[in-house]
Amino acid sequence: SEDLDNLSQAMGIMQHHDAVTGTEKQAVASDYDRMLFKAIVGAENSARDALRSLTNLTSGEFKSCLELNISVCTFTQDTANNVIVTLVNPLAHSSTQYVRVPAKNENYIVTDEKGREVFSEVIPVPWLVLALEHRSNDTQHELVFKASVDKIANFLIRVLPTPKNIAEDQVYFPAERS
Amino acid sequence: QDELTVETSLVKLTFDTTTGGLKTVEMNGLTENIQQTFGIYKGYRGNNGESKNRSSGAYVFRPSGDIEIVNNKVELSFYNGTKVKEVHQHVNEWISQVIRIYEDVNRVEFEWLVGPIPTDDDVGKEIITRFSSNISSKGKFYTDSNGREILERERNQREHFTPDMSEAISGNYYPVTGQISLQDDEKRITLLNDRAQGGSSLKDGELELMLHRRLLNDDAFGVGEALNEIQYGTGLIARGKIYLILDAVAGKPNQRLLQHQLDQHFWKFFSKSNGVASVNK
C-alpha cells in the first residue's frame, strides 16, 4: 500500500494546472518525470502481486516496458519466444484493439487462453524511429495481433522454426533529392 | 505508377507517389479528397514590454507571419500486411509519420514523430498538421469540451460578443482535448487526438492540430523561461497519434467511446512461460 500511496500522491501532484498544461519550468518538468517514474516502478510490485492472484501465473514476472512508445522492450528484445503478454483493459467496457509487441523478425505463433491461434504478423519499425538517439537498435520489428479484452486476457507468443521474409511485402518510393 | 492505393475491406487510401502525400480517403461509402501536410508557424518574438509585444510562449500561441507549409517531396515506403497496411512517410530530417489502416477497423491512424525542432536559425517554431478537403464547412467546426460535450465554433466569431480578430490565426485556435471535426450537408471529417492540443479550421474544409512547439522567448505570463527544451541540449522528439474518420452527417458528431481507446489503451505485462496462461474466475 506504500507503493500505491506513492503513485496516488504523484498522480495528485500531476493534477496541478502547470503539470496538466505544460506551463511548468523545465526543472519542474524533470522533477515530475522523476516522481512519476519512481511511483510507476514502485507500483509495478503491486500490479505483479495482483496479477499473480488473478491469473494462474503464480510466479509470473509481469514486467512493464516503459519504452513501448519507441518500440523497445528489454523483455522481448532478445527473443519473444515463450512470452506471455497479459493485457489489462482500463476501460469500463470490453474493447478490441490491435496490440503491438517489439520483437525480432521471426516467425511467431500467438495463442489465446484456450490455445487457439490468433492471427499475427511482423512489421518493420519506421526507420526514423530506429534512428532515434539513445534507442537500442536490437529490435527493428513489431509483432501485431488483434485482442479482445473484457478486463484481463493472456496471449502466449512462441517462435516457430522457419524465418519469415517480410522484404517481399515492402515497396519503396524514394524522394528525388536535390 | 503515379498513385499508390492502400486498402482494407473498410478503408481505401490513395497516395500521390510524385509528392508522397495522401490524396483521397474512401470509407463508410464516401470518398473525399483529403490532403495532409505539415506546417511551421514561426513564434513571434517580442520584448514583453506591453501586451501587444508579448512573445509566443508556454501560455500564448502567437505566430509571426503566415504558415510555412513543408512541401518537399515525401519519401514513402509501404508495408502491405495481411491485416495491417502501413505507409511510412519521411517528410524531412525531423518530421516523419506512419499512416496505418487495420482490417475491420473503420478509421485511419496517423502516428506522427516530430523533433528535435531545429533552432539554428534562432527562430522558435510551432509545428502543425493540416488536413484539407473539399467539404464546404461554411466557417463552422466542432471541438470537444474536455471529452464530453461537443461545441460548435464559428471562424472569426464568438457566441456572445464581437471579437477583435486582428490576430486571425491564434484567435481561431481552440483547445482540442479529444476531437475536432467539420462537416457539410453530406460528409463529416473527425480527427481524434491522443493528448490535448490546440486546433482550428482556418479555411472551409480544413482542420489543423498543433503537434509540437519549441520557442526561444518567455511570454511573461508566469513561467519565466522559454519553452525551449534546452535541458536536453538538442530538443525533444514527440510521438503521437491522430485518428481520422470520414462518415456521413447524422446527428451531432460523437466518437466518445473511441476517443477513450486513444489514451486508455490496454496495459501490457510480460512474463516467461511455456504454457498457456488463464485468468482465474
Side-chain angles (χ1 to χ4, degrees), chain B residues 19 42 47 58 73 78 104 106 124 136 139 162 234 258 260 266:
Chain B
T19 62
K42 294 184 184 80
N47 59 13
K73 185 185 185 298
F78 168 46
D104 302 324
N106 212 5
S136 172
T162 305
T234 54
L258 178 59
H260 292 165
F266 298 153

Side-chain angles (χ1 to χ4, degrees), chain B:
Chain B
Q1 291 177 350
D2 292 342
E3 280 188 353
L4 166 69
T5 303
V6 181
E7 64 183 314
T8 61
S9 58
L10 297 176
V11 181
K12 183 174 173 183
L13 307 176
T14 311
F15 291 83
D16 181 336
T17 54
T18 54
T19 62
L22 180 65
K23 207 168 148 188
T24 58
V25 176
E26 205 175 315
M27 60 191 289
N28 293 315
L30 299 166
T31 305
E32 181 60 32
N33 295 327
I34 300 178
Q35 283 91 47
Q36 186 214 9
T37 48
F38 289 89
I40 302 168
Y41 289 110
K42 294 184 184 80
Y44 179 73
R45 172 175 281 183
N47 59 13
N48 298 334
E50 44 188 314
S51 63
K52 67 176 183 182
N53 289 325
R54 211 181 273 280
S55 299
S56 197
Y59 296 86
V60 189
F61 166 43
R62 197 170 199 198
S64 170
D66 208 359
I67 192 169
E68 183 187 303
I69 297 291
V70 182
N71 56 9
N72 48 316
K73 185 185 185 298
V74 174
E75 219 170 83
L76 294 182
S77 59
F78 168 46
Y79 175 75
N80 188 19
T82 309
K83 301 256 184 183
V84 190
K85 321 277 179 186
E86 288 192 351
V87 174
H88 298 190
Q89 289 182 319
H90 176 202
V91 180
N92 64 21
E93 290 308 307
W94 48 279
I95 301 176
S96 65
Q97 178 174 247
V98 178
I99 301 177
R100 188 177 284 140
I101 49 176
Y102 289 108
E103 192 56 54
D104 302 324
V105 175
N106 212 5
R107 58 179 178 260
V108 188
E109 184 176 305
F110 296 79
E111 188 168 28
W112 50 268
L113 185 83
V114 177
I117 298 172
T119 52
D120 318 347
D121 53 0
D122 217 20
V123 177
K125 297 175 190 70
E126 322 200 24
I127 315 305
I128 61 105
T129 186
R130 182 179 279 175
F131 296 82
S132 310
S133 71
N134 295 328
I135 291 179
S136 172
S137 50
K138 295 178 183 156
K140 290 187 177 165
F141 58 106
Y142 303 84
T143 60
D144 68 296
S145 174
N146 269 345
R148 291 173 171 80
E149 192 182 6
I150 299 294
L151 302 175
E152 185 179 278
R153 313 294 193 180
E154 190 166 354
R155 196 162 53 246
N156 299 326
Q157 300 292 328
R158 292 293 188 277
E159 200 175 0
H160 298 298
F161 62 96
T162 305
D164 169 6
M165 293 306 295
S166 53
E167 296 187 49
I169 298 169
S170 43
N172 279 306
Y173 255 68
Y174 287 90
V176 182
T177 56
Q179 59 176 290
I180 182 169
S181 62
L182 56 74
Q183 62 190 49
D184 60 13
D185 295 337
E186 194 192 341
K187 300 172 190 170
R188 175 191 298 137
I189 295 176
T190 305
L191 302 178
L192 299 154
N193 54 359
D194 62 347
R195 66 197 65 196
Q197 293 169 319
S200 187
S201 171
L202 298 176
K203 278 187 191 160
D204 285 358
E206 271 186 16
L207 287 173
E208 69 181 57
L209 285 170
M210 177 76 72
L211 303 180
H212 191 171
R213 319 170 65 212
R214 186 176 180 195
L215 297 161
L216 305 179
N217 292 83
D218 175 37
D219 59 15
F221 265 122
V223 69
E225 62 185 38
L227 199 67
N228 189 14
E229 305 168 349
I230 201 156
Q231 187 152 336
Y232 301 93
T234 54
L236 298 176
I237 300 165
R239 193 183 194 192
K241 282 183 187 176
I242 298 167
Y243 287 166
L244 179 146
I245 295 165
L246 170 69
D247 62 359
V249 173
K252 279 197 151 189
N254 186 15
Q255 300 286 351
R256 197 175 58 86
L257 291 180
L258 178 59
Q259 205 175 291
H260 292 165
Q261 274 190 25
L262 261 167
D263 53 15
Q264 298 187 63
H265 39 78
F266 298 153
W267 303 341
K268 294 172 197 147
F269 296 92
F270 299 90
S271 305
K272 280 276 179 194
S273 174
N274 294 320
V276 179
S278 60
V279 178
N280 297 333
K281 296 290 174 197

Side-chain angles (χ1 to χ4, degrees), chain A residues 17-30:
Chain A
H17 61 88
D18 279 346
V20 171
T21 56
T23 48
E24 73 280 48
K25 282 182 186 287
Q26 183 62 63
V28 177
S30 301

